[in-house]
Amino acid sequence: MKEARDAVRLEEVHKVYYTSKLPVIAVNGVTLGIRPGEFLVLMGPSGCGKSTLLHLMGGVDRPTSGRVLIGGRNLVSLSDNELSDFRRDSIGFVFQSYNLIPSLTAAENIEIPLMIKGLGKKDRDARVAEILRLVDLRDRSDHTPSMLSGGEEQRVAIGRALANDPTVVLLDEPTGNLDQGSGRAILELVSGLNRNKGKTLCMVTHDRALAGYGTRLVEMVDGKMKGEEK
Ligand SMILES: Nc1ncnc2c1ncn2[C@@H]1O[C@H](COP(=O)(O)OP(=O)(O)OP(=O)(O)O)[C@@H](O)[C@H]1O
Ligand SMILES: [Mg+2]
């Protein structure tokens, strides 16, 4: 079965937010597969459900119904503890707003997932050095986020997402807050993860000019997938 080889697979996924007013159907029956080594770009108008879909793929949130499979493993059937362990080991998530810890340096932010995983100091230091080199921030390792530019903060966030060597990396508008030059630099880094390190990627963006970095483009409207291109 072709589907069984998908790195990420959503089957008939729905997500409904129940608020005090009407329920909001943010994701309305999405079936989508991402093959290993693919770099999927996800576009669509504001509010169509892109971030919600990415959160479901990454196990950051749970669907109201449907199945979410990463490497064939159904996230829906995992307990909260199992899900957070799985997320830590297998999925790198890059939030639009970076979500760095302001009191920690770039190196320490990257070290957090390694500490949670229980790696010893020597292994952590070696891995942090390797990641800082990858995201080209060796000379900023002891800067806290307020001492970094937006592009540098985003590179720390990407480094942190890569610390535990996940197979799947999900990025929510990684260039949304950056000027064009820094945005391009981030995209070069991200597409290198796909080309050179074989990571499976899904990136949400508003910028059609960036869609060309991906290997496939899909569009969402009103919680559903539109026709596919490329
Ligand atoms: N926690 C929540 N509670 C209630 N409604 C929510 C919640 N999160 C998102 N929504 C609603 O779900 C819909 C989809 O939101 P989502 O953030 O996924 O959109 P998006 O496509 O990422 O938009 P943008 O491009 O502006 O980031 C929106 O109508 C939003 O108002
Ligand atoms: Mg969004």
Side-chain angles (χ1 to χ4, degrees):
M1 247 185 27
K2 259 189 1 199
E3 291 79 11
R5 295 203 299 269
D6 284 337
V8 179
R9 181 150 187 87
L10 305 177
E11 290 178 353
E12 270 304 308
V13 168
H14 291 80
K15 177 68 183 182
V16 185
Y17 291 112
Y18 294 97
T19 59
S20 54
K21 295 186 180 150
L22 288 174
V24 177
I25 306 173
V27 175
N28 192 5
V30 168
T31 296
L32 173 70
I34 309 179
R35 310 302 298 272
E38 228 177 7
F39 179 177
L40 190 77
V41 174
L42 176 60
M43 296 191 72
S46 184
C48 72
K50 304 180 298 296
S51 293
T52 305
L53 197 74
L54 209 65
H55 290 165
L56 298 175
M57 279 184 200
V60 177
D61 205 353
R62 289 175 183 275
T64 309
S65 65
R67 302 204 318 153
V68 178
L69 300 119
I70 304 283
R73 188 110 188 253
N74 185 6
L75 300 194
V76 176
S77 64
L78 301 181
S79 70
D80 286 350
N81 281 339
E82 288 169 336
L83 183 61
S84 62
D85 284 354
F86 183 80
R87 205 170 55 210
R88 181 199 64 206
D89 293 337
S90 308
I91 300 162
F93 205 101
V94 179
F95 296 89
Q96 180 177 3
S97 45
Y98 317 138
N99 285 6
L100 299 176
I101 298 183
S103 57
L104 299 184
T105 66
E108 288 162 347
N109 268 284
I110 292 169
E111 192 179 358
I112 294 172
L114 303 170
M115 294 186 85
I116 297 173
K117 192 169 181 170
L119 238 66
K121 176 91 175 97
K122 217 174 135 195
D123 290 337
R124 292 201 308 267
D125 286 351
R127 182 68 181 150
V128 168
E130 191 183 338
I131 293 282
L132 284 168
R133 193 162 54 241
L134 179 71
V135 298
D136 197 21
L137 282 177
R138 271 177 298 179
D139 54 353
R140 295 287 185 277
S141 64
D142 61 347
H143 286 222
T144 56
S146 68
M147 297 188 267
L148 294 169
S149 72
E152 289 166 347
E153 281 189 87
Q154 189 58 294
R155 297 215 299 274
V156 177
I158 292 171
R160 182 184 53 185
L162 295 172
N164 282 327
D165 200 22
T167 49
V168 174
V169 183
L170 307 173
L171 308 106
D172 196 354
E173 303 200 40
T175 63
N177 300 321
L178 304 179
D179 63 67
Q180 217 179 25
S182 325
R184 292 263 164 203
I186 292 292
L187 256 297
E188 292 297 337
L189 169 64
V190 168
S191 56
L193 299 175
N194 175 248
R195 275 196 318 273
N196 309 326
K197 308 233 171 238
K199 303 284 181 203
T200 303
L201 304 182
C202 181
M203 177 179 79
V204 170
T205 180
H206 268 117
D207 188 349
R208 196 162 282 277
L210 299 182
Y213 282 96
T215 56
R216 182 157 62 109
L217 168 65
V218 292
E219 297 197 63
M220 246 183 126
V221 195
D222 283 345
K224 294 185 168 156
M225 300 311 303
K226 217 171 120 179
E228 295 188 5
E229 291 174 29
K230 235 178 155 180

